Amino acid sequence: MRILFIRHGEPNYEDDCLTATGRLQAQAAAKRLAGEKISEIYSSPKGRAQETAGYTAKALGLKVTILDYMREVIWGGEGIPNEGHIWTLSDRMLNEENFDFFTQDWREHSYFKNNSVMSCYEEVIAGIDDFLKGQGYVHDGRRFFCSRENKKTLAIFSHGGSGGAALAHILSLPFPYVLCVFPYTYTSVISVDFPSVPGDYVHPRLELFNDAAHIKGLGEELRLQKKV
């Protein structure tokens, strides 16, 4: 099984929709995804993600199923600097504090412990685990038990934060660390492969990351979310 994570196109955050450039990016993404043999399309409930997914769904003649837990995360809290912006906080922890995400618990850090992003993160990881279980992959530590054969290709259209949370959980990496070292741009494609070996444990493999060649010249510079 493969899961393709696709970030939405350039957004108008105020109206939760795509800009004119974002619509061109979404159209380009639909052409890029046409040969991927996608069998199911999923989307965050946010307008910008649904609109992006709609172009691919229309091109492939598929419906879009909403995954409510993949809506963009929110952040902030009393005493948290930089308005709690998770990318800025993660970068500060790594570069200014030399925080070791692999030996220290980032969830207990003051930037995250009382940050509203934590409830969003927990909702994403619980939701993605339930989703994967429904596809025949039961999360067990850093691996997955494959309960049945599954060779489908699934596309999930979401956001920089919620997509990063899902990716971090699937790959057993710290969420803030992933935000620092795995940034991805508008309508970029991330491919994660889950080997189909029924009755055995498997681990997911990152096959492709931040593939955005299809939007070259269409505002492809990396920008992270500023508003929910």
Side-chain angles (χ1 to χ4, degrees), residues 6-11 17-19 22-23 25-30 33 41-43 46-58 64 157-159 186-188 214:
I6 304 100
R7 191 181 175 203
H8 59 74
E10 181 182 84
C17 63
L18 298 180
T19 63
R23 290 191 289 274
Q25 292 172 341
Q27 291 171 29
L33 295 166
I41 296 177
Y42 299 86
S43 172
K46 302 296 286 186
R48 54 194 183 270
Q50 288 195 61
E51 190 176 350
T52 304
Y55 285 94
T56 298
K58 182 177 180 181
V64 178
F157 291 78
S158 59
H159 310 265
Y186 299 133
T187 70
S188 63
H214 53 279

PDB file of all heavy atoms in Angstrom, residues 6-11 17-19 22-23 25-30 33 41-43 46-58 64 157-159 186-188 214:
ATOM      1  N   ILE A   6      -0.425  15.010   0.121  1.00  0.00           N
ATOM      2  CA  ILE A   6      -0.303  16.187  -0.732  1.00  0.00           C
ATOM      3  C   ILE A   6      -0.756  17.411   0.043  1.00  0.00           C
ATOM      4  O   ILE A   6      -1.866  17.436   0.597  1.00  0.00           O
ATOM      5  CB  ILE A   6      -1.153  16.060  -2.024  1.00  0.00           C
ATOM      6  CG1 ILE A   6      -0.784  14.790  -2.794  1.00  0.00           C
ATOM      7  CG2 ILE A   6      -0.973  17.285  -2.916  1.00  0.00           C
ATOM      8  CD1 ILE A   6      -1.727  13.645  -2.584  1.00  0.00           C
ATOM      9  N   ARG A   7       0.098  18.418   0.099  1.00  0.00           N
ATOM     10  CA  ARG A   7      -0.293  19.658   0.774  1.00  0.00           C
ATOM     11  C   ARG A   7      -1.186  20.469  -0.166  1.00  0.00           C
ATOM     12  O   ARG A   7      -1.075  20.370  -1.398  1.00  0.00           O
ATOM     13  CB  ARG A   7       0.951  20.466   1.148  1.00  0.00           C
ATOM     14  CG  ARG A   7       0.649  21.637   2.090  1.00  0.00           C
ATOM     15  CD  ARG A   7       1.900  22.425   2.418  1.00  0.00           C
ATOM     16  NE  ARG A   7       1.564  23.606   3.218  1.00  0.00           N
ATOM     17  CZ  ARG A   7       2.323  24.686   3.279  1.00  0.00           C
ATOM     18  NH1 ARG A   7       3.450  24.758   2.604  1.00  0.00           N
ATOM     19  NH2 ARG A   7       1.950  25.710   4.032  1.00  0.00           N
ATOM     20  N   HIS A   8      -2.063  21.276   0.387  1.00  0.00           N
ATOM     21  CA  HIS A   8      -2.945  22.119  -0.417  1.00  0.00           C
ATOM     22  C   HIS A   8      -2.153  23.138  -1.234  1.00  0.00           C
ATOM     23  O   HIS A   8      -0.972  23.401  -0.975  1.00  0.00           O
ATOM     24  CB  HIS A   8      -3.946  22.848   0.481  1.00  0.00           C
ATOM     25  CG  HIS A   8      -3.286  23.723   1.516  1.00  0.00           C
ATOM     26  ND1 HIS A   8      -2.691  24.927   1.210  1.00  0.00           N
ATOM     27  CD2 HIS A   8      -3.126  23.563   2.842  1.00  0.00           C
ATOM     28  CE1 HIS A   8      -2.197  25.482   2.299  1.00  0.00           C
ATOM     29  NE2 HIS A   8      -2.439  24.664   3.318  1.00  0.00           N
ATOM     30  N   GLY A   9      -2.801  23.744  -2.229  1.00  0.00           N
ATOM     31  CA  GLY A   9      -2.177  24.781  -3.038  1.00  0.00           C
ATOM     32  C   GLY A   9      -2.082  26.092  -2.289  1.00  0.00           C
ATOM     33  O   GLY A   9      -2.568  26.226  -1.161  1.00  0.00           O
ATOM     34  N   GLU A  10      -1.456  27.077  -2.918  1.00  0.00           N
ATOM     35  CA  GLU A  10      -1.298  28.388  -2.281  1.00  0.00           C
ATOM     36  C   GLU A  10      -2.657  28.900  -1.828  1.00  0.00           C
ATOM     37  O   GLU A  10      -3.584  29.006  -2.637  1.00  0.00           O
ATOM     38  CB  GLU A  10      -0.670  29.379  -3.263  1.00  0.00           C
ATOM     39  CG  GLU A  10      -0.447  30.750  -2.653  1.00  0.00           C
ATOM     40  CD  GLU A  10       0.117  31.734  -3.648  1.00  0.00           C
ATOM     41  OE1 GLU A  10      -0.683  32.334  -4.396  1.00  0.00           O
ATOM     42  OE2 GLU A  10       1.348  31.894  -3.693  1.00  0.00           O
ATOM     43  N   PRO A  11      -2.784  29.243  -0.532  1.00  0.00           N
ATOM     44  CA  PRO A  11      -4.106  29.556   0.005  1.00  0.00           C
ATOM     45  C   PRO A  11      -4.390  31.041   0.221  1.00  0.00           C
ATOM     46  O   PRO A  11      -3.488  31.860   0.373  1.00  0.00           O
ATOM     47  CB  PRO A  11      -4.076  28.867   1.364  1.00  0.00           C
ATOM     48  CG  PRO A  11      -2.649  29.071   1.801  1.00  0.00           C
ATOM     49  CD  PRO A  11      -1.807  29.010   0.548  1.00  0.00           C
ATOM     50  N   CYS A  17      -9.625  29.244   1.082  1.00  0.00           N
ATOM     51  CA  CYS A  17      -9.760  28.748  -0.291  1.00  0.00           C
ATOM     52  C   CYS A  17      -8.424  28.930  -0.986  1.00  0.00           C
ATOM     53  O   CYS A  17      -7.448  29.394  -0.371  1.00  0.00           O
ATOM     54  CB  CYS A  17     -10.877  29.492  -1.026  1.00  0.00           C
ATOM     55  SG  CYS A  17     -10.558  31.259  -1.219  1.00  0.00           S
ATOM     56  N   LEU A  18      -8.343  28.563  -2.236  1.00  0.00           N
ATOM     57  CA  LEU A  18      -7.105  28.728  -2.997  1.00  0.00           C
ATOM     58  C   LEU A  18      -7.064  30.091  -3.673  1.00  0.00           C
ATOM     59  O   LEU A  18      -8.091  30.652  -4.051  1.00  0.00           O
ATOM     60  CB  LEU A  18      -6.985  27.638  -4.054  1.00  0.00           C
ATOM     61  CG  LEU A  18      -6.909  26.191  -3.553  1.00  0.00           C
ATOM     62  CD1 LEU A  18      -6.804  25.240  -4.729  1.00  0.00           C
ATOM     63  CD2 LEU A  18      -5.733  25.992  -2.591  1.00  0.00           C
ATOM     64  N   THR A  19      -5.852  30.606  -3.833  1.00  0.00           N
ATOM     65  CA  THR A  19      -5.651  31.802  -4.631  1.00  0.00           C
ATOM     66  C   THR A  19      -5.677  31.385  -6.111  1.00  0.00           C
ATOM     67  O   THR A  19      -5.743  30.186  -6.430  1.00  0.00           O
ATOM     68  CB  THR A  19      -4.289  32.438  -4.335  1.00  0.00           C
ATOM     69  OG1 THR A  19      -3.257  31.501  -4.710  1.00  0.00           O
ATOM     70  CG2 THR A  19      -4.150  32.781  -2.849  1.00  0.00           C
ATOM     71  N   GLY A  22      -2.880  29.213  -6.502  1.00  0.00           N
ATOM     72  CA  GLY A  22      -3.163  27.927  -5.864  1.00  0.00           C
ATOM     73  C   GLY A  22      -4.003  27.020  -6.741  1.00  0.00           C
ATOM     74  O   GLY A  22      -3.801  25.797  -6.767  1.00  0.00           O
ATOM     75  N   ARG A  23      -4.934  27.601  -7.478  1.00  0.00           N
ATOM     76  CA  ARG A  23      -5.763  26.786  -8.383  1.00  0.00           C
ATOM     77  C   ARG A  23      -4.921  26.226  -9.531  1.00  0.00           C
ATOM     78  O   ARG A  23      -5.120  25.068  -9.947  1.00  0.00           O
ATOM     79  CB  ARG A  23      -6.935  27.620  -8.905  1.00  0.00           C
ATOM     80  CG  ARG A  23      -7.975  27.931  -7.830  1.00  0.00           C
ATOM     81  CD  ARG A  23      -9.240  28.509  -8.413  1.00  0.00           C
ATOM     82  NE  ARG A  23      -9.056  29.874  -8.905  1.00  0.00           N
ATOM     83  CZ  ARG A  23      -9.165  30.962  -8.163  1.00  0.00           C
ATOM     84  NH1 ARG A  23      -9.449  30.861  -6.872  1.00  0.00           N
ATOM     85  NH2 ARG A  23      -8.991  32.160  -8.698  1.00  0.00           N
ATOM     86  N   GLN A  25      -1.760  25.564  -9.285  1.00  0.00           N
ATOM     87  CA  GLN A  25      -0.952  24.516  -8.661  1.00  0.00           C
ATOM     88  C   GLN A  25      -1.758  23.234  -8.489  1.00  0.00           C
ATOM     89  O   GLN A  25      -1.251  22.131  -8.722  1.00  0.00           O
ATOM     90  CB  GLN A  25      -0.436  25.008  -7.305  1.00  0.00           C
ATOM     91  CG  GLN A  25       0.575  26.130  -7.385  1.00  0.00           C
ATOM     92  CD  GLN A  25       0.908  26.717  -6.026  1.00  0.00           C
ATOM     93  OE1 GLN A  25       0.153  26.547  -5.066  1.00  0.00           O
ATOM     94  NE2 GLN A  25       2.034  27.404  -5.930  1.00  0.00           N
ATOM     95  N   ALA A  26      -3.012  23.365  -8.077  1.00  0.00           N
ATOM     96  CA  ALA A  26      -3.871  22.194  -7.879  1.00  0.00           C
ATOM     97  C   ALA A  26      -4.132  21.483  -9.206  1.00  0.00           C
ATOM     98  O   ALA A  26      -4.176  20.249  -9.257  1.00  0.00           O
ATOM     99  CB  ALA A  26      -5.185  22.613  -7.230  1.00  0.00           C
ATOM    100  N   GLN A  27      -4.307  22.248 -10.265  1.00  0.00           N
ATOM    101  CA  GLN A  27      -4.494  21.650 -11.595  1.00  0.00           C
ATOM    102  C   GLN A  27      -3.231  20.902 -12.023  1.00  0.00           C
ATOM    103  O   GLN A  27      -3.298  19.799 -12.575  1.00  0.00           O
ATOM    104  CB  GLN A  27      -4.833  22.741 -12.612  1.00  0.00           C
ATOM    105  CG  GLN A  27      -6.201  23.374 -12.414  1.00  0.00           C
ATOM    106  CD  GLN A  27      -6.397  24.590 -13.299  1.00  0.00           C
ATOM    107  OE1 GLN A  27      -5.831  24.706 -14.387  1.00  0.00           O
ATOM    108  NE2 GLN A  27      -7.195  25.537 -12.825  1.00  0.00           N
ATOM    109  N   ALA A  28      -2.070  21.514 -11.750  1.00  0.00           N
ATOM    110  CA  ALA A  28      -0.795  20.869 -12.092  1.00  0.00           C
ATOM    111  C   ALA A  28      -0.599  19.596 -11.272  1.00  0.00           C
ATOM    112  O   ALA A  28      -0.096  18.583 -11.779  1.00  0.00           O
ATOM    113  CB  ALA A  28       0.359  21.842 -11.851  1.00  0.00           C
ATOM    114  N   ALA A  29      -1.021  19.638 -10.022  1.00  0.00           N
ATOM    115  CA  ALA A  29      -0.906  18.451  -9.166  1.00  0.00           C
ATOM    116  C   ALA A  29      -1.787  17.323  -9.692  1.00  0.00           C
ATOM    117  O   ALA A  29      -1.397  16.148  -9.666  1.00  0.00           O
ATOM    118  CB  ALA A  29      -1.293  18.797  -7.730  1.00  0.00           C
ATOM    119  N   ALA A  30      -2.976  17.667 -10.163  1.00  0.00           N
ATOM    120  CA  ALA A  30      -3.882  16.651 -10.711  1.00  0.00           C
ATOM    121  C   ALA A  30      -3.237  15.946 -11.899  1.00  0.00           C
ATOM    122  O   ALA A  30      -3.338  14.719 -12.047  1.00  0.00           O
ATOM    123  CB  ALA A  30      -5.201  17.287 -11.114  1.00  0.00           C
ATOM    124  N   LEU A  33      -0.506  13.629 -10.621  1.00  0.00           N
ATOM    125  CA  LEU A  33      -1.007  12.444  -9.928  1.00  0.00           C
ATOM    126  C   LEU A  33      -1.778  11.488 -10.831  1.00  0.00           C
ATOM    127  O   LEU A  33      -2.148  10.394 -10.408  1.00  0.00           O
ATOM    128  CB  LEU A  33      -1.901  12.873  -8.768  1.00  0.00           C
ATOM    129  CG  LEU A  33      -1.192  13.639  -7.636  1.00  0.00           C
ATOM    130  CD1 LEU A  33      -2.220  14.298  -6.714  1.00  0.00           C
ATOM    131  CD2 LEU A  33      -0.268  12.710  -6.848  1.00  0.00           C
ATOM    132  N   ILE A  41      -9.369   8.853  -2.552  1.00  0.00           N
ATOM    133  CA  ILE A  41      -8.906  10.208  -2.248  1.00  0.00           C
ATOM    134  C   ILE A  41      -9.537  10.675  -0.943  1.00  0.00           C
ATOM    135  O   ILE A  41     -10.749  10.558  -0.745  1.00  0.00           O
ATOM    136  CB  ILE A  41      -9.252  11.192  -3.388  1.00  0.00           C
ATOM    137  CG1 ILE A  41      -8.505  10.792  -4.674  1.00  0.00           C
ATOM    138  CG2 ILE A  41      -8.911  12.629  -2.993  1.00  0.00           C
ATOM    139  CD1 ILE A  41      -8.839  11.674  -5.868  1.00  0.00           C
ATOM    140  N   TYR A  42      -8.702  11.227  -0.063  1.00  0.00           N
ATOM    141  CA  TYR A  42      -9.145  11.743   1.226  1.00  0.00           C
ATOM    142  C   TYR A  42      -8.679  13.190   1.368  1.00  0.00           C
ATOM    143  O   TYR A  42      -7.710  13.605   0.747  1.00  0.00           O
ATOM    144  CB  TYR A  42      -8.568  10.899   2.368  1.00  0.00           C
ATOM    145  CG  TYR A  42      -8.994   9.452   2.324  1.00  0.00           C
ATOM    146  CD1 TYR A  42      -8.290   8.512   1.572  1.00  0.00           C
ATOM    147  CD2 TYR A  42     -10.118   9.023   3.021  1.00  0.00           C
ATOM    148  CE1 TYR A  42      -8.686   7.187   1.519  1.00  0.00           C
ATOM    149  CE2 TYR A  42     -10.523   7.693   2.980  1.00  0.00           C
ATOM    150  CZ  TYR A  42      -9.805   6.781   2.224  1.00  0.00           C
ATOM    151  OH  TYR A  42     -10.217   5.463   2.170  1.00  0.00           O
ATOM    152  N   SER A  43      -9.383  13.933   2.198  1.00  0.00           N
ATOM    153  CA  SER A  43      -9.029  15.335   2.374  1.00  0.00           C
ATOM    154  C   SER A  43      -9.354  15.814   3.784  1.00  0.00           C
ATOM    155  O   SER A  43     -10.286  15.324   4.438  1.00  0.00           O
ATOM    156  CB  SER A  43      -9.785  16.212   1.362  1.00  0.00           C
ATOM    157  OG  SER A  43      -9.592  17.591   1.620  1.00  0.00           O
ATOM    158  N   LYS A  46     -10.896  21.324   5.679  1.00  0.00           N
ATOM    159  CA  LYS A  46     -10.667  22.729   5.380  1.00  0.00           C
ATOM    160  C   LYS A  46     -10.835  22.985   3.877  1.00  0.00           C
ATOM    161  O   LYS A  46     -10.472  22.155   3.037  1.00  0.00           O
ATOM    162  CB  LYS A  46      -9.271  23.164   5.833  1.00  0.00           C
ATOM    163  CG  LYS A  46      -9.008  22.966   7.316  1.00  0.00           C
ATOM    164  CD  LYS A  46      -9.907  23.827   8.187  1.00  0.00           C
ATOM    165  CE  LYS A  46      -9.525  25.269   8.174  1.00  0.00           C
ATOM    166  NZ  LYS A  46     -10.307  26.085   9.138  1.00  0.00           N
ATOM    167  N   GLY A  47     -11.377  24.162   3.564  1.00  0.00           N
ATOM    168  CA  GLY A  47     -11.702  24.484   2.175  1.00  0.00           C
ATOM    169  C   GLY A  47     -10.534  24.411   1.224  1.00  0.00           C
ATOM    170  O   GLY A  47     -10.654  23.910   0.098  1.00  0.00           O
ATOM    171  N   ARG A  48      -9.376  24.887   1.641  1.00  0.00           N
ATOM    172  CA  ARG A  48      -8.208  24.910   0.750  1.00  0.00           C
ATOM    173  C   ARG A  48      -7.733  23.508   0.397  1.00  0.00           C
ATOM    174  O   ARG A  48      -7.245  23.276  -0.716  1.00  0.00           O
ATOM    175  CB  ARG A  48      -7.089  25.725   1.380  1.00  0.00           C
ATOM    176  CG  ARG A  48      -6.679  25.315   2.797  1.00  0.00           C
ATOM    177  CD  ARG A  48      -5.823  26.397   3.434  1.00  0.00           C
ATOM    178  NE  ARG A  48      -5.324  26.076   4.751  1.00  0.00           N
ATOM    179  CZ  ARG A  48      -5.954  26.352   5.884  1.00  0.00           C
ATOM    180  NH1 ARG A  48      -7.158  26.899   5.849  1.00  0.00           N
ATOM    181  NH2 ARG A  48      -5.400  26.073   7.061  1.00  0.00           N
ATOM    182  N   ALA A  49      -7.871  22.575   1.337  1.00  0.00           N
ATOM    183  CA  ALA A  49      -7.479  21.190   1.063  1.00  0.00           C
ATOM    184  C   ALA A  49      -8.518  20.505   0.176  1.00  0.00           C
ATOM    185  O   ALA A  49      -8.165  19.798  -0.779  1.00  0.00           O
ATOM    186  CB  ALA A  49      -7.309  20.429   2.369  1.00  0.00           C
ATOM    187  N   GLN A  50      -9.790  20.709   0.480  1.00  0.00           N
ATOM    188  CA  GLN A  50     -10.843  20.103  -0.335  1.00  0.00           C
ATOM    189  C   GLN A  50     -10.801  20.618  -1.771  1.00  0.00           C
ATOM    190  O   GLN A  50     -11.001  19.843  -2.716  1.00  0.00           O
ATOM    191  CB  GLN A  50     -12.211  20.412   0.269  1.00  0.00           C
ATOM    192  CG  GLN A  50     -12.527  19.667   1.549  1.00  0.00           C
ATOM    193  CD  GLN A  50     -13.999  19.725   1.897  1.00  0.00           C
ATOM    194  OE1 GLN A  50     -14.844  19.249   1.132  1.00  0.00           O
ATOM    195  NE2 GLN A  50     -14.314  20.312   3.036  1.00  0.00           N
ATOM    196  N   GLU A  51     -10.547  21.901  -1.921  1.00  0.00           N
ATOM    197  CA  GLU A  51     -10.492  22.471  -3.265  1.00  0.00           C
ATOM    198  C   GLU A  51      -9.323  21.881  -4.054  1.00  0.00           C
ATOM    199  O   GLU A  51      -9.459  21.557  -5.234  1.00  0.00           O
ATOM    200  CB  GLU A  51     -10.358  23.994  -3.179  1.00  0.00           C
ATOM    201  CG  GLU A  51     -10.531  24.701  -4.519  1.00  0.00           C
ATOM    202  CD  GLU A  51     -10.488  26.212  -4.391  1.00  0.00           C
ATOM    203  OE1 GLU A  51     -10.506  26.730  -3.247  1.00  0.00           O
ATOM    204  OE2 GLU A  51     -10.441  26.877  -5.444  1.00  0.00           O
ATOM    205  N   THR A  52      -8.192  21.717  -3.388  1.00  0.00           N
ATOM    206  CA  THR A  52      -7.029  21.110  -4.045  1.00  0.00           C
ATOM    207  C   THR A  52      -7.331  19.672  -4.445  1.00  0.00           C
ATOM    208  O   THR A  52      -7.041  19.245  -5.564  1.00  0.00           O
ATOM    209  CB  THR A  52      -5.805  21.146  -3.102  1.00  0.00           C
ATOM    210  OG1 THR A  52      -5.556  22.489  -2.696  1.00  0.00           O
ATOM    211  CG2 THR A  52      -4.567  20.595  -3.802  1.00  0.00           C
ATOM    212  N   ALA A  53      -7.919  18.915  -3.525  1.00  0.00           N
ATOM    213  CA  ALA A  53      -8.254  17.512  -3.796  1.00  0.00           C
ATOM    214  C   ALA A  53      -9.260  17.393  -4.930  1.00  0.00           C
ATOM    215  O   ALA A  53      -9.231  16.423  -5.703  1.00  0.00           O
ATOM    216  CB  ALA A  53      -8.809  16.858  -2.533  1.00  0.00           C
ATOM    217  N   GLY A  54     -10.147  18.384  -5.047  1.00  0.00           N
ATOM    218  CA  GLY A  54     -11.220  18.322  -6.040  1.00  0.00           C
ATOM    219  C   GLY A  54     -10.722  18.209  -7.464  1.00  0.00           C
ATOM    220  O   GLY A  54     -11.345  17.523  -8.290  1.00  0.00           O
ATOM    221  N   TYR A  55      -9.608  18.854  -7.762  1.00  0.00           N
ATOM    222  CA  TYR A  55      -9.076  18.793  -9.132  1.00  0.00           C
ATOM    223  C   TYR A  55      -8.624  17.376  -9.482  1.00  0.00           C
ATOM    224  O   TYR A  55      -8.893  16.878 -10.581  1.00  0.00           O
ATOM    225  CB  TYR A  55      -7.907  19.769  -9.286  1.00  0.00           C
ATOM    226  CG  TYR A  55      -8.334  21.212  -9.370  1.00  0.00           C
ATOM    227  CD1 TYR A  55      -8.373  22.011  -8.234  1.00  0.00           C
ATOM    228  CD2 TYR A  55      -8.711  21.791 -10.577  1.00  0.00           C
ATOM    229  CE1 TYR A  55      -8.777  23.343  -8.294  1.00  0.00           C
ATOM    230  CE2 TYR A  55      -9.109  23.117 -10.662  1.00  0.00           C
ATOM    231  CZ  TYR A  55      -9.138  23.881  -9.519  1.00  0.00           C
ATOM    232  OH  TYR A  55      -9.536  25.194  -9.591  1.00  0.00           O
ATOM    233  N   THR A  56      -7.949  16.720  -8.550  1.00  0.00           N
ATOM    234  CA  THR A  56      -7.502  15.346  -8.790  1.00  0.00           C
ATOM    235  C   THR A  56      -8.691  14.396  -8.828  1.00  0.00           C
ATOM    236  O   THR A  56      -8.749  13.491  -9.670  1.00  0.00           O
ATOM    237  CB  THR A  56      -6.505  14.913  -7.698  1.00  0.00           C
ATOM    238  OG1 THR A  56      -5.351  15.753  -7.748  1.00  0.00           O
ATOM    239  CG2 THR A  56      -6.069  13.465  -7.902  1.00  0.00           C
ATOM    240  N   ALA A  57      -9.635  14.594  -7.934  1.00  0.00           N
ATOM    241  CA  ALA A  57     -10.823  13.740  -7.890  1.00  0.00           C
ATOM    242  C   ALA A  57     -11.604  13.822  -9.197  1.00  0.00           C
ATOM    243  O   ALA A  57     -12.045  12.797  -9.746  1.00  0.00           O
ATOM    244  CB  ALA A  57     -11.714  14.140  -6.722  1.00  0.00           C
ATOM    245  N   LYS A  58     -11.765  15.020  -9.710  1.00  0.00           N
ATOM    246  CA  LYS A  58     -12.499  15.214 -10.961  1.00  0.00           C
ATOM    247  C   LYS A  58     -11.762  14.553 -12.117  1.00  0.00           C
ATOM    248  O   LYS A  58     -12.371  13.882 -12.962  1.00  0.00           O
ATOM    249  CB  LYS A  58     -12.691  16.701 -11.233  1.00  0.00           C
ATOM    250  CG  LYS A  58     -13.498  16.991 -12.498  1.00  0.00           C
ATOM    251  CD  LYS A  58     -13.719  18.478 -12.686  1.00  0.00           C
ATOM    252  CE  LYS A  58     -14.533  18.754 -13.959  1.00  0.00           C
ATOM    253  NZ  LYS A  58     -14.739  20.216 -14.158  1.00  0.00           N
ATOM    254  N   VAL A  64     -14.255  12.378  -2.964  1.00  0.00           N
ATOM    255  CA  VAL A  64     -13.357  12.798  -1.898  1.00  0.00           C
ATOM    256  C   VAL A  64     -13.996  12.469  -0.559  1.00  0.00           C
ATOM    257  O   VAL A  64     -15.114  12.906  -0.268  1.00  0.00           O
ATOM    258  CB  VAL A  64     -13.058  14.311  -1.972  1.00  0.00           C
ATOM    259  CG1 VAL A  64     -12.162  14.726  -0.807  1.00  0.00           C
ATOM    260  CG2 VAL A  64     -12.398  14.672  -3.300  1.00  0.00           C
ATOM    261  N   PHE A 157      -5.041  14.705   1.035  1.00  0.00           N
ATOM    262  CA  PHE A 157      -4.745  16.127   0.861  1.00  0.00           C
ATOM    263  C   PHE A 157      -4.934  16.834   2.200  1.00  0.00           C
ATOM    264  O   PHE A 157      -6.016  16.797   2.771  1.00  0.00           O
ATOM    265  CB  PHE A 157      -5.683  16.735  -0.186  1.00  0.00           C
ATOM    266  CG  PHE A 157      -5.423  16.258  -1.592  1.00  0.00           C
ATOM    267  CD1 PHE A 157      -5.866  15.009  -2.019  1.00  0.00           C
ATOM    268  CD2 PHE A 157      -4.732  17.056  -2.489  1.00  0.00           C
ATOM    269  CE1 PHE A 157      -5.627  14.563  -3.308  1.00  0.00           C
ATOM    270  CE2 PHE A 157      -4.486  16.629  -3.792  1.00  0.00           C
ATOM    271  CZ  PHE A 157      -4.937  15.377  -4.211  1.00  0.00           C
ATOM    272  N   SER A 158      -3.878  17.476   2.685  1.00  0.00           N
ATOM    273  CA  SER A 158      -4.001  18.129   3.997  1.00  0.00           C
ATOM    274  C   SER A 158      -3.117  19.366   4.080  1.00  0.00           C
ATOM    275  O   SER A 158      -3.075  20.168   3.152  1.00  0.00           O
ATOM    276  CB  SER A 158      -3.707  17.125   5.119  1.00  0.00           C
ATOM    277  OG  SER A 158      -2.404  16.587   4.985  1.00  0.00           O
ATOM    278  N   HIS A 159      -2.368  19.507   5.196  1.00  0.00           N
ATOM    279  CA  HIS A 159      -1.690  20.759   5.518  1.00  0.00           C
ATOM    280  C   HIS A 159      -0.266  20.525   6.006  1.00  0.00           C
ATOM    281  O   HIS A 159       0.125  19.392   6.285  1.00  0.00           O
ATOM    282  CB  HIS A 159      -2.481  21.490   6.601  1.00  0.00           C
ATOM    283  CG  HIS A 159      -3.937  21.621   6.305  1.00  0.00           C
ATOM    284  ND1 HIS A 159      -4.481  22.729   5.710  1.00  0.00           N
ATOM    285  CD2 HIS A 159      -4.974  20.763   6.516  1.00  0.00           C
ATOM    286  CE1 HIS A 159      -5.783  22.566   5.564  1.00  0.00           C
ATOM    287  NE2 HIS A 159      -6.107  21.373   6.046  1.00  0.00           N
ATOM    288  N   TYR A 186       3.693  23.839  -1.338  1.00  0.00           N
ATOM    289  CA  TYR A 186       2.330  23.690  -1.841  1.00  0.00           C
ATOM    290  C   TYR A 186       2.206  22.594  -2.905  1.00  0.00           C
ATOM    291  O   TYR A 186       2.993  22.543  -3.849  1.00  0.00           O
ATOM    292  CB  TYR A 186       1.836  25.010  -2.420  1.00  0.00           C
ATOM    293  CG  TYR A 186       1.792  26.135  -1.416  1.00  0.00           C
ATOM    294  CD1 TYR A 186       2.311  27.381  -1.720  1.00  0.00           C
ATOM    295  CD2 TYR A 186       1.225  25.944  -0.153  1.00  0.00           C
ATOM    296  CE1 TYR A 186       2.263  28.429  -0.795  1.00  0.00           C
ATOM    297  CE2 TYR A 186       1.179  26.970   0.768  1.00  0.00           C
ATOM    298  CZ  TYR A 186       1.700  28.208   0.441  1.00  0.00           C
ATOM    299  OH  TYR A 186       1.656  29.233   1.359  1.00  0.00           O
ATOM    300  N   THR A 187       1.244  21.753  -2.762  1.00  0.00           N
ATOM    301  CA  THR A 187       0.888  20.621  -3.638  1.00  0.00           C
ATOM    302  C   THR A 187       2.042  19.642  -3.855  1.00  0.00           C
ATOM    303  O   THR A 187       2.010  18.839  -4.774  1.00  0.00           O
ATOM    304  CB  THR A 187       0.333  21.071  -5.012  1.00  0.00           C
ATOM    305  OG1 THR A 187       1.370  21.649  -5.816  1.00  0.00           O
ATOM    306  CG2 THR A 187      -0.828  22.034  -4.854  1.00  0.00           C
ATOM    307  N   SER A 188       3.065  19.702  -2.984  1.00  0.00           N
ATOM    308  CA  SER A 188       4.142  18.719  -3.108  1.00  0.00           C
ATOM    309  C   SER A 188       3.622  17.336  -2.741  1.00  0.00           C
ATOM    310  O   SER A 188       2.666  17.192  -1.983  1.00  0.00           O
ATOM    311  CB  SER A 188       5.321  19.090  -2.214  1.00  0.00           C
ATOM    312  OG  SER A 188       4.949  19.074  -0.859  1.00  0.00           O
ATOM    313  N   HIS A 214       6.085  19.738 -10.544  1.00  0.00           N
ATOM    314  CA  HIS A 214       4.907  20.089 -11.346  1.00  0.00           C
ATOM    315  C   HIS A 214       4.473  21.542 -11.176  1.00  0.00           C
ATOM    316  O   HIS A 214       3.716  22.061 -11.995  1.00  0.00           O
ATOM    317  CB  HIS A 214       3.729  19.160 -11.000  1.00  0.00           C
ATOM    318  CG  HIS A 214       3.407  19.103  -9.553  1.00  0.00           C
ATOM    319  ND1 HIS A 214       4.117  18.316  -8.672  1.00  0.00           N
ATOM    320  CD2 HIS A 214       2.464  19.739  -8.802  1.00  0.00           C
ATOM    321  CE1 HIS A 214       3.620  18.459  -7.453  1.00  0.00           C
ATOM    322  NE2 HIS A 214       2.627  19.324  -7.505  1.00  0.00           N
TER     323      HIS A 214
END
